[in-house]
Structure formats: structure tokens, C-alpha cells
Amino acid sequence: MDGGGRFPEPLTVAGFAGAGAGAPATPPGAGRAAGGAGPRAPSGRLAGYLPRFLRPRRASVAVPLGRRMPRLLGTALVFGFFGAVSAVGFVAGGSYAEFSARHGTPADVAARALGFGLDKVTIAGLAQLRSAEILQAAGIDQRHSLPFLSVVEVRDRLSAVPLIGAVSVRKIYPRELLVTLTEREPSALWQRNGEIAVIAADGTVIDRMRDGRFEALPLVVGEEANLRTKDYLALLEAAGPLKDRIRAGTLVSGRRWTLKLDGIDVRLPETGAREAMARLVRLEAESRLLGKDIIAVDLRMPDRVVVRLTEEGAAARQEALKKQQKKPKGTET
């Protein structure tokens, strides 16, 4: 003690595990006095140099659960519960589907409100198709928004259109979609089993005949006639001045063509069809054969032309033959 009756050091020793404010500390050497084997706790200055697992640990102080939970957690849980119940009822009752059908998804509605609506769709490369057909096939309208529109899905839908050969889709923020496409080139019409389809030059069906846009294309008829389209187009070129009068070509037994020309059937041979067509052009120029009362011209034999008359033409010919037979011999006409 000092002269005032005070101790120069505090009566508590810092650094002992479990030592708390106001609690008497175990004096140094007390462990050895009790049993002689108790380890001495390192001082606070020495503990800073020891490994972590050798340092003395402070006793944890338990904090009440009520003080550890965030404030207003109970209120938030109540509102969250009722919100979840309302959302489930909104979806299960069909209101969500009706809302989406009219206005789009909530995400689209929010994006449009922020100025990212789908206000403009630019389509490049149109030839036979129309803009309305592209939009319908792509499945896009004013309910969509640009951020939440999937260009992959739009491209896949347009690629499924038979008349479209290639397509690319690109977003142009904030409100424009650019669609660039390449149409397949239609070459002819193909009629089979009463149905007419639009085909390419290689015979691939690229669309079905839905309106009058393709009515001026050449028409081929019959099974596998689409695969012989190039041959038929070559015959049209060989027809020269008669080309515009040919209405259709029918492939017979997959071997030869019969042309429909102003209501007259022109039967061409299996081989040498172009040469036979040239013969028909000469006959028409010399004798106006196709203007007579005939319903068929058979050019399958290279050395002759066989024609079939109409009923009226056949009756008139029979009448003319009878008159010739009744004439007396030597009568001048």
C-alpha cells in the first residue's frame, strides 16, 4: 500500500478467462497452490504473441432473441403472407391470364411505362410476303416490350415460315425491332390431289396457294411433277409464241408431259419433247392448227401428227364426207 492506504495495482488481474468487471480474479500461483498442476494463464501482453488456438477466450454473452430480430419483421411477414395469398388467388382465378392477354406480362407493362415499348417494327427484304403476315408469324404486337422480347424465339418462328429462307432479328433501343429476311424464290405451282402449292425451282414446297399472288406462275400437275419442274420450264421456253397460251403441264406416269393449251391437250413424247414442241410451233404458223375444231394433238410419233376433233368438228367432217360420196362422178364443183 502507499502512504494513503491504497494499493498501487488493481486487485483484479486482466487476461484470465472468465474474469469480469467486479469479479475477484484468481491470484497468480493459486492454481499451483491448489493442485500444483494447473496451467498459468498467459498475461494479456503475452497472449498477443501466441497462436490463435492457444489464446484465452472470452466468455460469450447471450443476447435475447427479441433484441437480435430486425424491427418490424413481424409486420413484414404478415403483409408478405397476405400478398402471397392474393397473388395465388389472382393467378388461380384466371385474372392474371386475362390481364396478360390484354396488356402483356407485368414485366412488359413496367417496361412500356419506362419508355421501352415495342413501337416500331422495320421489315427488310419483303417480296411476296406482307408485313402483317410477318408480324403474325413472329407473334409480336403492341403488348410486348423491347427488353423482354426474345429475338431467338422471334427468329425461330419466322424461320418456320416456308417462304422465308433466312432471317435475322435485332433490337434497336429504345423502341424499335429490325427484321431482315430473304424469301425463297417461287418458281411454279404444283397441283396434287386437288391442292395447289407454291414450289421452288428444285421442287421444294415453300408455301401453299392461299390467294392470287402466285397465280401467274406456271402450273404443273401430277405425282412427282414438282421434281420435273425444270423440264417443264424448258418446254415453255421451246414453245416460243405459244408460251402464253399454255395453261398447265401434266406429268403422265412420271415419264412424259401433256400440255393444256387453250383447252387442247398436246401430248408430247417421253424423249424429244422439245423437238416435238418445235414441230407444233411450225404447224401453228403454217396452218393455224390450234384454231380448228380439235381437242387433242398427239405428237408422240416423230413422222406424223394425230389430232382428235371435237364432237361438232367430227360431225361436220362426217357430213362433209357424206356429201362427197353422194356427188356423181364427173360433176364439177
Side-chain angles (χ1 to χ4, degrees), residues 78-125:
V78 171
F79 278 103
F81 172 76
F82 284 109
V85 172
S86 301
V88 172
F90 182 70
V91 174
S95 300
Y96 176 79
E98 182 179 355
F99 177 86
S100 299
R102 288 185 177 183
H103 309 286
T105 64
D108 288 325
V109 173
R112 292 201 307 269
L114 294 175
F116 294 98
L118 186 58
D119 297 341
K120 182 179 180 181
V121 179
T122 302
I123 305 174

Side-chain angles (χ1 to χ4, degrees), residues 209-226:
M209 187 70 170
R210 290 176 288 184
D211 48 42
R213 280 177 292 177
F214 306 106
E215 62 183 5
L217 292 175
L219 175 64
V220 293
V221 182
E223 199 69 30
E224 298 184 356
N226 60 315

Side-chain angles (χ1 to χ4, degrees), residues 99-149:
F99 177 86
S100 299
R102 288 185 177 183
H103 309 286
T105 64
D108 288 325
V109 173
R112 292 201 307 269
L114 294 175
F116 294 98
L118 186 58
D119 297 341
K120 182 179 180 181
V121 179
T122 302
I123 305 174
L126 288 178
Q128 302 293 339
L129 291 170
R130 302 187 179 98
S131 298
E133 294 175 321
I134 298 298
L135 295 176
Q136 182 178 4
I140 53 179
D141 52 34
Q142 71 279 1
R143 296 174 299 176
H144 292 86
S145 64
L146 202 61
F148 297 100
L149 181 68

Side-chain angles (χ1 to χ4, degrees), residues 37-76:
R40 180 180 179 181
S43 64
R45 183 175 298 176
L46 180 60
Y49 297 95
L50 294 176
R52 184 179 300 272
F53 66 91
L54 293 178
R55 297 176 187 177
R57 298 180 180 178
R58 297 181 180 180
S60 62
V61 180
V63 180
L65 180 62
R67 296 177 59 186
R68 285 188 289 173
M69 296 184 64
R71 297 181 62 185
L72 303 178
L73 178 61
T75 304

